[in-house]
Amino acid sequence: MELSRFASMPWFAGIGTVAFAFSGYLVGVRKHLDLLGILIVALLTAIGGGIIRDVLVSRIPLVFYDYTNLIVIAATLLLSWLAGLHRRESATFGRLFVIADSIGLVAFSMTGAQVGLSLDLNAFGVVLLGFITAVGGGVVRDMMVNDIPFILHRDFYGMVAILVAVGLFVMDTFGIVNVLTLQLLFISGLSVRLLAHWSELALPKIRAGRRRE
């Protein structure tokens, strides 16, 4: 694998960081947290998945020695506040959250899978790292505000992360990774996620039957 094929991947990582920090900000405002609470939720949403991934591969998380992500997160929160997003109607909040969360999900699934490919992991390892990077921050966010994580019950959420990671692995296997195919993968993953949400698609649920007396 030539790492130059993934030269554009830092851009996706940046997009994911902004999107997840923004989604964390929206959740914090919706839950009426104070400034510190909003900051913590946004920060952990944006970096949580990446930290879990790096721990799994015995790598020091980038945020521990590089300030770039912290600056990006701080700038995202500041701009969100200056734009007055905390004064928007609840319906607008919901739409903004879904779009931001979807962008972060797909972007981080791609960057997580790319880490697996750079370490020459097998398909399971690549997909697992993509999955954890994509959903880890959102799970931490939802648990902190006492919500059931999306991945457990809604919107085809976890499957989108898996499909995107699988797509990147297949593309790399056939040697067709380039800027165009990465963009197509991102757009396709985002489209599936948004379609699943607005069409209320979900995986089948197992419902317990009533106990007979």
Side-chain angles (χ1 to χ4, degrees):
M1 181 190 69
E2 297 178 8
L3 292 180
S4 59
R5 297 180 184 179
F6 295 98
S8 63
M9 198 60 74
W11 286 100
F12 290 106
I15 291 171
T17 299
V18 171
F20 267 170
F22 181 59
S23 75
Y25 170 83
L26 293 176
V27 169
V29 172
R30 178 169 56 85
K31 292 292 184 176
H32 305 293
L33 304 183
D34 61 20
L35 290 177
L36 180 59
I38 292 173
L39 176 61
I40 292 173
V41 170
L43 179 66
L44 293 181
T45 304
I47 67 174
I51 289 178
I52 297 171
R53 175 202 65 213
D54 290 341
V55 169
L56 286 177
V57 297
S58 300
R59 190 172 74 171
I60 299 176
L62 182 64
V63 71
F64 288 173
Y65 57 86
D66 188 306
Y67 289 108
T68 302
N69 282 340
L70 297 178
I71 294 172
V72 169
I73 293 168
T76 300
L77 297 182
L78 178 60
L79 291 174
S80 298
W81 179 76
L82 291 175
L85 296 178
H86 52 285
R87 293 191 290 268
R88 301 287 182 177
E89 298 178 357
S90 58
T92 302
F93 252 65
R95 288 191 292 269
L96 289 174
F97 172 79
V98 169
I99 294 172
D101 193 60
S102 301
I103 292 173
L105 177 79
V106 176
F108 275 177
S109 179
M110 292 174 62
T111 58
Q114 186 264 328
V115 170
L117 291 170
S118 70
L119 296 173
D120 294 323
L121 302 185
N122 62 14
F124 176 76
V126 170
V127 173
L128 181 63
L129 290 188
F131 179 78
I132 289 175
T133 307
V135 307
V139 169
V140 173
R141 175 197 65 212
D142 293 340
M143 292 178 66
M144 287 188 67
V145 298
N146 202 31
D147 284 342
I148 299 176
F150 272 18
I151 185 180
L152 299 181
H153 69 113
R154 291 184 62 183
D155 295 349
F156 214 54
Y157 195 83
M159 281 303 301
V160 172
I162 292 174
L163 291 173
V164 170
V166 168
L168 187 57
F169 180 84
V170 172
M171 285 163 49
D172 183 72
T173 300
F174 288 96
I176 57 173
V177 176
N178 54 56
V179 174
L180 177 59
T181 55
L182 290 175
Q183 291 175 346
L184 289 175
L185 179 63
F186 177 80
I187 294 172
S188 298
L190 182 60
S191 299
V192 171
R193 164 72 174 110
L194 293 176
L195 177 64
H197 174 78
W198 286 321
S199 302
E200 298 184 351
L201 298 178
L203 294 175
K205 296 181 180 180
I206 299 177
R207 301 186 182 276
R210 295 182 179 179
R211 182 178 178 182
R212 295 182 178 180
E213 300 294 338

